[in-house]
Amino acid sequence: FLDRRNAFFFQIGPAGSLGDGLITKNGGSFNKPWDGIWYGQAQVVEQGWMAELALPFKTLTFRPGLDTWGFNVNRWIKRKNETARWAGARRDVRFFNISEAGRITGIEGIRQGIGLDLVPFFVGDWENDSLEGERHVFGDFGLDAFYRLTSNLTASVTVNTDFAETEVDARQVNLTRFPLFFPERRDFFLENPGLFEFADGSTDALPFFSRRIGLVQGSEVPIQAGAKITGRVGKYNLGFLDVQTGDARIEGAGEVEGDNFFVGRVSRNVGEQSTLGAIVTRGNPGGPEDNLLYGIDGNFNTTSFLGDKRLQAKAWFLQTDSESSDPLVDVSDDDLAYGAQVLYPNDIWRWGLRFFEIQENFNPALGFLPRSDVRSYSGELTYRPRISDTIRQLEFQAELDVVTGTDGDLQTAVFEFQPFGVYWQREDELRLELEAIHEELIEDFEIADGVVIPVGEYDFARARLEFESALRRPTSLSLDVDVGEFFDGHRSSVQAEVSWRPSSLFNTSLEYQWNDVSLPGGDFTTGLSRARFDFAFNPELSWQNFIQWDSLSDSIGINSRWRWIPVAGREVFLVFNQTLDEDDGSLRTRFQGVSFKVSYTFRF
């Protein structure tokens, strides 16, 4: 569109590996899971390596009649920790800062056909629930359809949607009082998600979080149909989503009735890199009560501050209109959330200031809200000087976060100081961080079964040492050691990951997280293990294996996925899932499932 904000991203490696994504908001958002139809091959030759990419115009959206496009090329040379860039090669500018891309001209005679993609698919499932003593075999058909209303506006429809090929979530251990965030992995919601982002996705009150639709307590609720319109009209960026779910019975939640959910997002390009926008959501996956959210935001970006520096600023405002499940509780007031931020994200100096308030009855039912009835103030300052050919940069950082209630009473204060950080030219990293924390609990906090931290004020200090070795080596290591006081006790934590990449055909990683917590209310430990074994027989055929264990559930989860792409736009998945529990010192299968999915894209 030559709007200096948004771009398609394509990548290729010398062994022929392919990747793609969508860059929006001048690099503020990167949607790596986007999966377009295109072609690429690479070959290693005596002089080095070469690659050729073919990008069908049916895959791209663009402004009709535009013969000049923004364009950039970047090569990552890992063995030298070096990048070579065609345009915008400055340390204060990232490759994803689209405003600094170059231009190519003479693009004429572009045709998209009628702009219709039909993607029928078939899914077959076999499930064995050992706890219930039940086995099921079933299959079904579905359809995804994409139609370009114009060359830069796409309508998408999904019927009988299935996510059998989606990778399972990585397990997490929660030692906080607030809910954990899990990223979206389902393809339908990953198509143009940047158009739905509010305030560049940087608020602590996300007005729209797509995992609220079709998932309840981690279990799937069937999506009967969904429709989406995304794209651009002139200077306006548009995103509209409507989804209808079906009834389901969820363990721990009982009967969940089907519902309809709507999200609308519009933003307008202002100046060279800035936007003004609005959002509205309707629907409540948590109950029968109605919920409506609406808000506005402004995002200012420039790469010419003080001549050639980057500066970002944003402000946002949200309000919800909710019904209460308790008729005696009034939630018609104190339902606002708003905030502002300014960020100077440059190479040597980086600083930022942020403020937001989230009132008591603000309830984004289709969003994500870790904490309400709070005001937050934060500031950060980072200095990263370049000193030699051996040490690429040193890093010194200070950050202060203060959270109060909306009544002004202090709840949390965290001061983090990094007295030492070093980034070697060979790409290894080492950091030492010190934390001073003040917490005021207004209610008892049960951090583990039977272990309660009582109401009160707590001051404690912690230290963390982080090391990461360069990924360019066949074997790499990351290690994070965190020790010190924890409320009125102590906590020691270790997180370690070893990765081994012996060739382009195979890579593996082993990760372990351990917490040892000692409190007056009781002692406990937690453990979490993850292992990945991934095979890429060629760019079209891969086999991914993900194994997890955690001490809280004391179960092992296995996810194994075969993916075959005989031709771009045609995919075959074979997915195996298994859950194992410990039973009297031995492992017992709790659940097994096999899913087969095949899809075929017809382009017109």
Side-chain angles (χ1 to χ4, degrees), residues 72-369:
N72 212 349
V73 179
N74 197 86
R75 181 185 172 201
W76 287 271
I77 309 173
K78 297 301 288 185
R79 71 180 186 277
K80 297 193 293 183
N81 192 15
E82 176 181 310
T83 60
R85 191 179 308 162
W86 180 59
R90 308 201 316 265
R91 285 171 173 164
D92 289 326
V93 172
R94 298 180 303 143
F95 177 56
F96 284 4
N97 292 139
I98 303 306
S99 59
E100 301 300 306
R103 297 188 180 189
I104 54 175
T105 61
I107 301 177
E108 300 175 349
I110 297 173
R111 295 184 300 273
Q112 281 190 315
I114 66 173
L116 176 63
D117 286 4
L118 297 178
V119 190
F121 58 83
F122 169 77
V123 178
D125 290 290
W126 173 82
E127 292 182 356
N128 176 26
D129 190 332
S130 301
L131 293 182
E132 299 293 334
E134 298 179 352
R135 294 185 179 182
H136 303 281
V137 178
F138 46 89
D140 209 350
F141 291 89
L143 175 69
D144 295 332
F146 307 88
Y147 179 63
R148 298 201 184 280
L149 304 173
T150 68
S151 61
N152 54 3
L153 193 65
T154 302
S156 310
V157 175
T158 181
V159 179
N160 209 16
T161 311
D162 184 88
F163 304 108
E165 76 281 13
T166 304
E167 185 184 65
V168 298
D169 288 320
R171 298 184 186 183
Q172 301 182 48
V173 173
N174 191 2
L175 296 181
T176 75
R177 312 190 302 281
F178 314 111
L180 295 173
F181 183 88
F182 290 88
E184 179 61 82
R185 300 182 181 275
R186 299 168 295 174
D187 286 345
F188 177 70
F189 295 104
L190 292 173
E191 182 73 25
N192 280 327
L195 293 174
F196 294 92
E197 280 192 352
F198 182 82
D200 290 351
S202 62
T203 72
D204 276 47
L206 289 178
F208 173 54
F209 180 44
S210 57
R211 283 181 64 108
R212 294 286 185 238
I213 301 176
L215 289 171
V216 173
Q217 296 185 3
S219 297
E220 185 176 343
V221 175
I223 293 180
Q224 296 177 339
K228 182 161 54 174
I229 294 177
T230 56
R232 295 165 179 84
V233 176
K235 293 186 176 182
Y236 290 90
N237 311 293
L238 309 177
F240 298 99
L241 171 70
D242 191 272
V243 175
Q244 178 65 47
T245 61
D247 298 338
R249 181 173 181 82
I250 304 298
E251 183 179 354
E255 295 291 338
V256 177
E257 296 184 357
D259 205 347
N260 184 266
F261 306 100
F262 172 80
V263 182
R265 169 73 167 148
V266 178
S267 64
R268 188 184 191 281
N269 296 340
V270 178
E272 293 187 347
Q273 302 177 36
S274 305
T275 60
L276 293 173
I279 192 171
V280 60
T281 72
R282 181 191 55 77
N284 183 8
E289 299 82 20
D290 289 337
N291 182 274
L292 178 69
L293 174 145
Y294 44 89
I296 57 175
D297 67 320
N299 304 277
F300 171 79
N301 295 275
T302 181
T303 53
S304 57
F305 181 68
L306 298 178
D308 60 351
K309 302 299 182 183
R310 295 171 55 203
L311 185 71
Q312 302 172 357
K314 61 195 67 177
W316 52 275
F317 173 90
L318 293 166
Q319 185 171 14
T320 57
D321 184 0
S322 307
E323 289 184 353
S324 174
S325 58
D326 185 346
L328 300 179
V329 177
D330 183 14
V331 295
S332 60
D333 294 322
D334 298 326
D335 52 7
L336 304 179
Y338 50 88
Q341 174 180 314
V342 60
L343 183 64
Y344 181 83
N346 291 285
D347 179 55
I348 303 298
W349 287 98
R350 174 189 175 98
W351 56 262
L353 297 170
R354 185 175 67 156
F355 163 80
F356 65 84
E357 176 176 321
I358 301 173
Q359 296 182 354
E360 180 181 8
N361 295 323
F362 177 74
N363 177 28
L366 280 182
F368 181 81
L369 182 65

Side-chain angles (χ1 to χ4, degrees), residues 46-84:
E46 184 177 350
Q47 296 84 1
W49 67 283
M50 62 180 67
E52 182 176 351
L53 281 64
L55 312 177
F57 287 109
K58 288 183 179 180
T59 299
L60 308 179
T61 55
F62 52 86
R63 188 194 309 170
L66 188 68
D67 68 349
T68 300
W69 286 33
F71 186 78
N72 212 349
V73 179
N74 197 86
R75 181 185 172 201
W76 287 271
I77 309 173
K78 297 301 288 185
R79 71 180 186 277
K80 297 193 293 183
N81 192 15
E82 176 181 310
T83 60

Side-chain angles (χ1 to χ4, degrees), residues 296-590:
I296 57 175
D297 67 320
N299 304 277
F300 171 79
N301 295 275
T302 181
T303 53
S304 57
F305 181 68
L306 298 178
D308 60 351
K309 302 299 182 183
R310 295 171 55 203
L311 185 71
Q312 302 172 357
K314 61 195 67 177
W316 52 275
F317 173 90
L318 293 166
Q319 185 171 14
T320 57
D321 184 0
S322 307
E323 289 184 353
S324 174
S325 58
D326 185 346
L328 300 179
V329 177
D330 183 14
V331 295
S332 60
D333 294 322
D334 298 326
D335 52 7
L336 304 179
Y338 50 88
Q341 174 180 314
V342 60
L343 183 64
Y344 181 83
N346 291 285
D347 179 55
I348 303 298
W349 287 98
R350 174 189 175 98
W351 56 262
L353 297 170
R354 185 175 67 156
F355 163 80
F356 65 84
E357 176 176 321
I358 301 173
Q359 296 182 354
E360 180 181 8
N361 295 323
F362 177 74
N363 177 28
L366 280 182
F368 181 81
L369 182 65
R371 195 170 183 176
S372 62
D373 196 20
V374 294
R375 294 192 185 111
S376 175
Y377 311 83
S378 60
E380 62 172 288
L381 177 65
T382 303
Y383 177 50
R384 303 182 67 190
R386 297 178 179 270
I387 62 171
S388 71
D389 293 337
T390 301
I391 296 178
R392 171 164 285 197
Q393 283 185 292
L394 297 178
E395 183 179 77
F396 309 94
Q397 185 179 53
E399 183 174 350
L400 176 64
D401 295 288
V402 177
V403 179
T404 73
T406 53
D407 56 5
D409 292 341
L410 182 64
Q411 294 185 8
T412 301
V414 179
F415 177 68
E416 183 176 301
F417 176 58
Q418 182 177 298
F420 176 76
V422 58
Y423 296 78
W424 282 277
Q425 178 63 31
R426 62 179 183 265
E427 213 175 352
D428 301 315
E429 303 177 13
L430 179 66
R431 291 178 293 275
L432 173 65
E433 299 176 356
L434 307 175
E435 283 186 326
I437 305 168
H438 176 84
E439 289 278 10
E440 297 188 10
L441 300 185
I442 58 177
E443 58 184 29
D444 291 346
F445 170 33
E446 186 175 14
I447 191 171
D449 288 342
V451 181
V452 176
I453 303 175
V455 171
E457 296 186 13
Y458 300 88
D459 291 284
F460 50 101
R462 302 189 56 76
R464 180 167 57 251
L465 185 67
E466 300 176 355
F467 172 75
E468 296 181 24
S469 65
L471 295 177
R472 62 185 178 87
R473 303 189 186 97
T475 302
S476 60
L477 167 70
S478 68
L479 179 65
D480 186 336
V481 180
D482 190 344
V483 297
E485 301 166 323
F486 187 65
F487 289 92
D488 52 352
H490 292 82
R491 175 167 70 94
S492 299
S493 301
V494 176
Q495 179 174 335
E497 181 177 6
V498 178
S499 300
W500 183 43
R501 297 169 295 276
S503 73
S504 61
L505 303 180
F506 172 73
N507 70 81
T508 183
S509 66
L510 302 175
E511 181 182 1
Y512 185 70
Q513 300 177 16
W514 172 79
N515 287 280
D516 183 6
V517 182
S518 176
L519 296 166
D523 302 338
F524 66 94
T525 61
T526 69
L528 173 63
S529 299
R530 303 190 187 112
R532 294 183 183 270
F533 305 93
D534 295 340
F535 300 84
F537 304 100
N538 54 55
E540 292 79 35
L541 180 62
S542 62
W543 180 27
Q544 297 176 314
N545 299 275
F546 187 23
I547 303 172
Q548 304 182 83
W549 168 86
D550 72 272
S551 60
L552 298 181
S553 66
D554 201 18
S555 66
I556 297 174
I558 302 172
N559 175 245
S560 182
R561 301 193 308 158
W562 285 85
R563 185 185 188 187
W564 179 39
I565 311 174
V567 179
R570 306 171 191 175
E571 293 185 305
V572 179
F573 287 92
L574 181 63
V575 182
F576 171 75
N577 286 297
Q578 183 173 15
T579 303
L580 302 170
D581 287 338
E582 184 181 1
D583 184 20
D584 294 331
S586 61
L587 293 177
R588 176 188 62 175
T589 297
R590 185 174 74 184

